[in-house]
Structures are given as C-alpha cells and as structure tokens.
C-alpha cells in the first residue's frame, strides 16, 4: 500500500527550518506548540489542493472574461448589422423618391395590365415603356397608397410621375379592352360586350354561338353556350378571332368545374341549369343553397318549379316585364310556371358560389321562397302554401311602403 502510506506520511509530516533561524522544533521533527502565534505549516496534500483551487479560480475568471468579451462583440456586430440595414433602407427609399419623373409626361402610350400581374411586374413593364423612371419608385408608391391595380388597356404618357400612373391604373372606368364576364349574365350580354370591346363584328360572335359549338363546347352542353362562360376578366382588345375569345371562356369554365369536382356528362349540365336558376332568383350566397333545395323538393313532388326567371329567359326579357299572358304561355319551353321539370338549358352563367350550392345544397323541406325586400334582397323560405301567402303579403307591404 505505497500510495496510502505516502498520503499517511504526508498528512503527518511537517517541514521545519533546519538552519536554526528561530523556529522552535523538537529533535524528532515535531513542531513546538509552545508559541500559540506560530502558524501550523501545510501538508503537501493541502498545498496541492490549494494550488488546484487557485488554478480553477483563474480558469473560471478567464472563461467569464471570454464570455463577456464574446457578448460585447456579438452586440456590436448585431448593432452594426441593424444600423447598416437601416441605412440601406433609407438609401433605397431616398433613391425611390428621387427616381421619379416630375410629370405630367408627353406623347401617348397604350399600356396593358394583364390579369394576374403584380405591382413589380407592372412597374417593370412601365419602365420598359418609358412611362415611369423606376420600378422601385412605382412599387413603393403602390404600397404606400395601398392601391389596387386593375387589368385593362390604359392610355398613358411617357415620363409620368408614379402617383399619376397609379391614379389611372387603379380606376377601372379608365380601363379598356378587357371583358368582364359577371356571374348571372346571359350569353347575349357577354357577346354584345365582347364585340364592342374587341372591335370584332357581333355577327362573327353570333355565328359561333349559333353554330353548335363544335370544337369548343363539351358534348353535354348540347350545342348551347348558355351557362358555359366562366365569370372573370378576359383580354379581348388584341384578339382577332371571335372563336378564340369564346373558346377561352368555355375552357375556363370547364377548368373551374373540374377543379371543383363537379359531376360529369348529363349531370354536369343539369347541375349548371339548377345553379343558373339559383343565381338568377336571389342575390346572396346565403340563399343559393336553399333555392336549390326548393327546386329539388318540387321536382321530387312533380310540382312545376314556378320560377319567373326561367319564363323571362325563354322570352328574352326580364322578370319585371312579364305579363299574365306570358306566365300562362305553355309554348315557352322555359315556362316553369306551367311546365314541370327543368328548363332545357341554363338561363345564365352561374358563379362559383351558386355552383357549389347546386353541388351540395342544405337539407330542408322548403317548397316556396319570396324575396320580401327588393332593396336589401332579403329572402324568406316556407314549407306550406299558407306560409307562402303570408310571405307574399309581407312582400307587398314592404315594397309598397318603400315606394
């Protein structure tokens, strides 16, 4: 046990001064305890522990210093980065403000904003057309004013101020050449607008519409375009063919129906017919589904649908112009006041909300509905004929007071 013995020896052995300089020791090497003020010498083990403790304390101090220095350096680097970023942002903002023409501009530039283009792309095209001086200045001005830029063809000038350009591009009334197909519009209205905006003869459009739609319409449409134009914005200004314009609207419709998971074949046409009636009868999303359920419930009971909107469509007029004779004319295949079943085609181009409602209507036993307030469009639904007549009275009272 040499190690244990060594420790035992070191713990009990003291170092003495052998030169007789004043320390009092006994001959056997033990300390003289007669002087209470003399310090007791440390053993080798105690000395070693003392050195280790001092060394550890020094290491801790060094580590702490290193950590503090690293934190200070990190804060300095972070602050410098932030300051640099702030300065760069100010420089970019300053450049954007100065990189702008004073306006009002000269000459004439016909500029088109395509559907789906954002401020950056529009700004880049404006720079290429020499309308604005800087894309950055343009996009900064759009963001600062929270402006909405509309598709269309606009008349601009060269070297315009960004603010003046934005004022024009955010005003839909100044846009030309873009056809807006709205939910609930009939094909006849869409074609009239397309002919006017495109400059293509209305006869060219009507020739396509009356030609059966070969190569354009799907088979389930039965050669009829009603219901098969997708609402949206179409650039018709620079198109040379009525056929191409019509085909684009039909292709968009088919694409939308596929994306919604709409039924195919004859069921798709039936769904469009029902959706078009709902679109034409009410003016709010909350009512579409209930109107669809009324149509389905009446069909289940073999009841005429009784929709004035279908009668009016068959006569090429509007519901407010119908006469009693018109409402009783059974020769009109769209007269659902007299004839049972669905009309032969859709009666408008239904929007997405009406289509979704036709695909998934709510459950209910409603058989009637009345728009009781023509100003607000408020519509109420009933399950019995007695309830229906009460709603009719409410309609008459409400609208006579409004008049």
């Amino acid at each position: 046990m040499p190690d244990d013995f060594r420790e035992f020896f070191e713990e009990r052995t003291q170092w003495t001064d052998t030169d007789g300089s004043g320390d009092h020791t006994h001959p056997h090497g033990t300390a003289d305890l007669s002087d209470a003020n003399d310090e007791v010498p440390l053993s080798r083990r105690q000395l070693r522990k003392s050195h280790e403790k001092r060394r550890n304390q020094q290491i801790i101090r060094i580590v702490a210093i290193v950590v503090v220095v690293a934190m200070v350096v990190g804060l300095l680097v972070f602050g410098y980065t932030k300051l640099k970023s702030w300065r760069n942002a100010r420089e970019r903002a300053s450049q954007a403000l100065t990189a702008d023409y004073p306006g009002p501009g000269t000459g004439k530039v016909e500029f088109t904003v395509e559907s789906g283009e954002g401020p950056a792309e529009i700004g880049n095209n404006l720079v290429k057309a020499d309308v604005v001086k800087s894309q950055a200045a343009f996009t900064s001005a759009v963001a600062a004013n929270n402006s909405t830029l509309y598709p269309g063809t606009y008349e601009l000038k060269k070297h315009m101020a960004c603010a003046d350009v934005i004022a024009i591009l955010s005003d839909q009334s100044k846009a030309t050449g873009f056809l807006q197909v709205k939910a609930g519009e009939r094909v006849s209205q869409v074609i009239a607008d397309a002919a006017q905006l495109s400059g293509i003869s209305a006869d060219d459009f009507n020739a396509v519409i009356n030609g059966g739609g070969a190569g354009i319409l799907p088979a389930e449409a039965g050669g009829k375009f009603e219901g098969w134009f997708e609402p949206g914005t179409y650039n018709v200004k620079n198109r040379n063919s009525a056929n191409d314009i019509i085909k684009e609207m039909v292709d968009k419709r088919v694409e939308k129906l596929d994306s919604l998971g709409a039924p195919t074949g004859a069921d798709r046409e039936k769904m469009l017919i029902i959706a078009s009636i709902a679109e034409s009868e009410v003016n709010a999303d909350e009512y579409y589904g209930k109107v669809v359920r009324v149509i389905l419930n009446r069909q289940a009971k073999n009841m005429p649908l009784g929709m004035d909107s279908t009668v009016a469509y068959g006569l090429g007029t509007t519901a407010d112009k119908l006469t009693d004779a018109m409402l009783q004319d059974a020769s009109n295949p769209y007269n659902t006041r007299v004839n049972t079943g669905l009309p032969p085609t859709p009666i408008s181009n239904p929007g997405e909300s009406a289509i979704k409602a036709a695909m998934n209507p709510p459950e209910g036993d409603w058989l009637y509905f009345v728009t009781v307030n023509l100003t607000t469009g408020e519509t109420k639904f009933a399950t019995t004929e007695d309830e229906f007549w009460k709603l009719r009275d409410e309609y008459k009272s409400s609208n006579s007071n409004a008049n």
Side-chain angles (χ1 to χ4, degrees):
M1 301 171 58
D3 290 338
D4 294 339
F5 179 79
R6 180 180 177 182
E7 290 181 2
F8 176 83
F9 178 77
E10 287 178 348
E11 289 176 356
R12 289 161 177 75
T13 303
Q14 307 293 329
W15 291 98
T16 60
D17 187 356
T18 58
D19 60 1
S21 59
D23 286 343
H24 302 284
T25 61
H26 289 286
H28 298 293
T30 57
D32 187 352
L33 302 179
S34 61
D35 190 349
N37 294 325
D38 289 343
E39 294 183 359
V40 178
L42 298 175
S43 68
R44 290 184 177 181
R45 184 177 185 185
Q46 289 172 325
L47 287 172
R48 187 168 62 252
K49 289 183 177 181
S50 176
H51 289 317
E52 290 176 354
K53 183 177 181 181
R54 285 197 298 272
R55 186 169 62 252
N56 290 338
Q57 289 175 342
Q58 289 175 344
I59 291 173
I60 292 173
R61 283 195 294 271
I62 292 171
V63 171
I65 292 171
V66 170
V67 170
V68 171
V69 170
M71 290 177 63
V72 171
V73 171
L75 289 172
L76 290 174
V77 171
F78 177 78
Y80 173 77
T81 302
K82 286 293 183 182
L83 179 61
K84 185 177 180 181
S85 176
W86 177 72
R87 285 179 176 174
N88 290 338
R90 286 195 60 185
E91 289 177 2
R92 287 194 297 270
S94 177
Q95 291 171 358
L97 291 174
T98 57
D100 195 5
Y101 292 124
T106 59
K108 179 181 177 180
V109 176
E110 192 175 76
F111 184 80
T112 299
V113 176
E114 299 286 353
S115 297
E117 288 184 338
E121 189 174 359
I122 295 171
N124 187 49
N125 292 335
L126 286 167
V127 171
K128 291 179 180 178
D130 202 18
V131 174
V132 301
K133 190 175 183 180
S134 163
Q135 182 206 56
F138 178 78
T139 54
S140 295
V142 171
N145 293 283
N146 195 27
S147 301
T148 300
L149 309 180
Y150 295 100
T153 299
Y154 300 84
E155 186 175 306
L156 303 176
K157 299 178 180 180
K158 289 190 175 184
H159 295 192
M160 293 181 67
C162 289
D164 294 339
V165 175
I166 292 170
I168 294 174
L169 300 187
S170 59
D171 185 352
Q172 278 188 303
S173 67
K174 291 182 169 60
T176 62
F178 269 68
L179 173 65
Q180 296 285 339
V181 179
K182 304 178 182 66
E185 279 189 320
R186 297 175 180 176
V187 163
S188 57
Q189 183 61 56
V190 175
I191 293 306
D193 292 342
Q196 180 182 5
L197 290 169
S198 67
I200 300 173
S201 171
D203 291 339
D204 291 351
F205 283 98
N206 288 324
V208 177
I209 296 299
N210 298 326
I216 302 177
L217 285 172
E220 59 264 29
K224 303 298 183 182
F225 282 88
E226 197 68 74
W228 286 93
F229 289 166
E230 176 65 20
T233 303
Y234 300 88
N235 184 1
V236 300
K237 176 77 172 177
N238 300 315
R239 305 293 286 273
N240 298 319
S241 167
N243 188 86
D244 290 346
I245 294 172
I246 292 174
K247 187 176 187 306
E248 182 181 5
M249 293 188 287
V250 174
D251 288 346
K252 290 290 186 181
R253 169 64 93 194
V254 173
E255 180 182 338
K256 173 58 69 68
L257 293 175
D258 289 343
S259 70
L260 295 176
T264 59
D267 288 338
R268 176 169 289 193
E269 177 75 358
K270 178 181 176 182
M271 182 273 296
L272 282 176
I273 293 173
I274 294 174
S276 72
I277 297 173
E279 185 78 69
S280 300
E281 287 286 339
V282 291
N283 63 354
D285 291 2
E286 61 183 302
Y287 302 134
Y288 290 141
K290 287 186 175 181
V291 172
V292 172
R293 180 53 63 187
V294 169
I295 293 172
L296 297 177
N297 288 343
R298 281 178 164 263
Q299 280 190 297
K301 292 179 177 292
N302 200 32
M303 296 172 62
L305 299 186
M307 305 292 178
D308 289 351
S309 59
T310 65
V311 180
Y313 178 82
L315 297 172
T317 186
T318 55
D320 59 324
K321 296 179 180 178
L322 293 175
T323 65
D324 288 341
M326 292 176 177
L327 293 173
Q328 297 302 318
D329 182 10
S331 67
N332 177 2
Y334 290 86
N335 189 341
T336 57
R337 281 287 198 102
V338 178
N339 304 311
T340 58
L342 295 173
T345 70
I347 62 171
S348 70
N349 293 301
E352 182 173 333
S353 296
I355 290 173
K356 287 181 177 179
M359 291 171 56
N360 187 28
E363 294 297 328
D365 55 358
W366 311 289
L367 290 171
Y368 308 90
F369 65 90
V370 177
T371 299
V372 296
N373 191 315
L374 297 179
T375 302
T376 64
E378 181 184 7
T379 301
K380 294 184 178 181
F381 294 79
T383 58
T384 67
E385 190 171 351
D386 287 342
E387 291 174 344
F388 165 73
W389 289 115
K390 290 179 181 179
L391 294 180
R392 289 283 294 179
D393 291 340
E394 182 179 344
Y395 158 78
K396 291 179 181 179
S397 174
S398 174
N399 289 285
S400 63
N401 291 336
N403 295 330

